[in-house]
Amino acid sequence: MGLREDLAALTDEGTAAFAAATTQDALETARIAFLGTNGREKDLTKAFGALPGPEKREFGPLLNQAKTAVKEAFDAAKARLADVEADAPIDLTLPGPARRQGSLHPVSQVSREVEEVFTSMGYEIADGPHIELDEFNFSRLNIPADHPARDHQDTFWLSTGKLLRTHTSAVQSRVYPKVQPPFRKVVVGKVFRYEAVDATHDNTFTQVEGFVVDTDITVAHLVGTIRTMLTALLKRDDVEVRLRPSFFPFVEPGFEVDVRLTKADPASRFSRWVELMGCGMIHPEVLTAGGIDPTRFQGFAFGLGMERLVMLRHGITDIRVFHGADLRSLRQFGN
Ligand code: FA5
């Protein structure tokens, strides 16, 4: 066969192959055979290139016609198959794309549980502002301006002279003038300290403050409340609790409560004592500053680090997980 017949065959067979393609796969197979790098059109273009000059003039227009015809047949088939796909019926019974459901942050989850545990014990929920006055955060809690205890809580001071509250004890100062005993209050809220961040210290964290004022309140009530709270919240049977005498200007006597998990891996942070909270009997000066007569009433108060509690409960070894915004960590606690 000569080149003339070959070009006619390319046109006929190529247009027929593209017209017959009913799937994307068939179209691609035909494209490779006729228009691909080693396809028939390339072969004939090469054969044309080897012709002597006068014959090139004769065959040039024929080659171009064949190429145009095959390319048009390919484009038409491609458009036809695209339309077929667009018209394909939609299966309404197929499941839609799964939507990932959000969940409460682990600290929020336990905060709600804390509020439930305490309301079941007759406590009322109280709250106060994050931006606080020196008076409520320190002075009314028996921490005057020159008191060295201020050094324990590195404070973010604002240019207005106000501060970001360093502890939820500030809410005690706000509540006392407004209510007369007996009362039981619980506060869950954010507090802020200008601290170097490490595995157990953050600069923004959550505290739970409980305070009870009544007649005949003793340290035994305080210890009983702490045990009830930790049993309900830690949901473990290996929690060991110890009280150490400690100093906070707003309580007398004062204690720190440490916790360890007896079944934790000996190499783990939690097999050693972790400081969880401060507590004590409310100082008479604090009651007096709040308008409560300390000769008639006594009370206890405690302030607990919520992130540390959640760490103990879930075996989390680094506090930075909570504000790190790494959803891979937080999703594990979805409820
Ligand atoms: C206080 O904040 C006192 N207001 C607690 C208190 C209340 C004592 C009522 C007596 C009566 P302290 O600075 O120790 O105390 O903090 C209390 C708890 O907050 C600590 O035991 C710890 O669990 C947690 N905590 C303290 N600093 C940090 C921090 N940087 N990051 C995370 N948790 C912290």
Side-chain angles (χ1 to χ4, degrees), residues 167 169 193 195 201-202 205 207 248 275-278 303 305:
H167 55 177
S169 300
R193 291 190 197 174
E195 291 232 41
H201 294 84
D202 207 343
F205 57 101
Q207 281 189 338
F248 299 95
E275 181 208 311
L276 190 60
M277 58 198 287

Side-chain angles (χ1 to χ4, degrees), residues 127-138 155-168 170-171 174 189-192:
D127 202 3
H130 291 170
I131 297 177
E132 194 44 290
L133 297 171
D134 176 310
E135 177 189 352
F136 293 114
N137 198 82
F138 293 124
T155 308
F156 289 111
W157 291 96
L158 306 181
S159 53
T160 55
K162 292 185 179 177
L163 53 91
L164 297 184
R165 72 177 178 195
T166 57
H167 55 177
T168 42
V171 182
R174 286 189 170 268
K190 288 275 180 246
V191 299
F192 311 87

Side-chain angles (χ1 to χ4, degrees), residues 42-230:
K42 280 277 178 318
D43 290 346
L44 295 184
T45 307
K46 260 188 233 156
F48 170 79
L51 291 176
E55 289 190 32
K56 276 201 175 120
R57 267 191 293 282
E58 181 189 344
F59 284 105
L62 295 179
L63 176 66
N64 284 338
Q65 272 170 20
K67 278 186 172 178
T68 307
V70 176
K71 178 73 172 49
E72 281 175 358
F74 169 70
D75 288 342
K78 201 167 145 187
R80 177 171 45 80
L81 288 178
D83 284 348
V84 169
E85 264 175 23
D87 290 346
I90 300 167
D91 183 352
L92 294 175
T93 64
L94 283 176
R99 189 186 287 185
R100 196 186 278 276
Q101 217 172 355
S103 62
L104 280 181
H105 190 282
V107 170
S108 305
Q109 288 176 30
V110 183
S111 298
R112 291 187 180 192
E113 287 181 34
V114 166
E115 292 183 348
E116 271 169 33
V117 169
F118 280 97
T119 45
S120 78
M121 292 195 281
Y123 283 66
E124 290 169 322
I125 294 169
D127 202 3
H130 291 170
I131 297 177
E132 194 44 290
L133 297 171
D134 176 310
E135 177 189 352
F136 293 114
N137 198 82
F138 293 124
S139 309
R140 282 171 176 261
L141 293 172
N142 202 22
I143 318 176
D146 53 354
H147 198 289
R150 288 200 178 196
D151 296 345
H152 286 292
Q153 298 185 355
D154 291 314
T155 308
F156 289 111
W157 291 96
L158 306 181
S159 53
T160 55
K162 292 185 179 177
L163 53 91
L164 297 184
R165 72 177 178 195
T166 57
H167 55 177
T168 42
S169 300
V171 182
Q172 289 188 44
S173 322
R174 286 189 170 268
V175 166
Y176 294 148
K178 292 193 204 133
V179 285
Q180 274 303 305
F183 56 78
R184 304 172 198 189
K185 303 276 182 186
V186 66
V187 183
V188 181
K190 288 275 180 246
V191 299
F192 311 87
R193 291 190 197 174
Y194 184 55
E195 291 232 41
V197 172
D198 63 22
T200 51
H201 294 84
D202 207 343
N203 50 30
T204 302
F205 57 101
T206 316
Q207 281 189 338
V208 179
E209 185 94 5
F211 47 98
V212 170
V213 181
D214 204 334
T215 49
D216 299 325
I217 296 286
T218 69
V219 173
H221 295 112
L222 168 63
V223 173
T225 306
I226 291 173
R227 285 197 192 283
T228 306
M229 167 176 70
L230 294 182

Side-chain angles (χ1 to χ4, degrees), residues 287-335:
L287 292 175
T288 305
I292 297 171
D293 179 357
T295 61
R296 288 178 58 209
F297 299 105
Q298 321 77 48
F300 67 75
F302 61 84
L304 167 144
M306 177 70 100
E307 282 76 7
R308 296 205 187 157
L309 181 85
V310 180
M311 288 167 80
L312 279 161
R313 172 154 148 180
H314 291 298
I316 298 171
T317 49
D318 196 320
I319 199 168
R320 286 165 284 205
V321 160
F322 295 117
H323 290 132
D326 185 340
L327 295 181
R328 289 168 305 177
S329 311
L330 296 176
R331 276 193 188 118
Q332 298 173 63
F333 308 104
N335 46 359

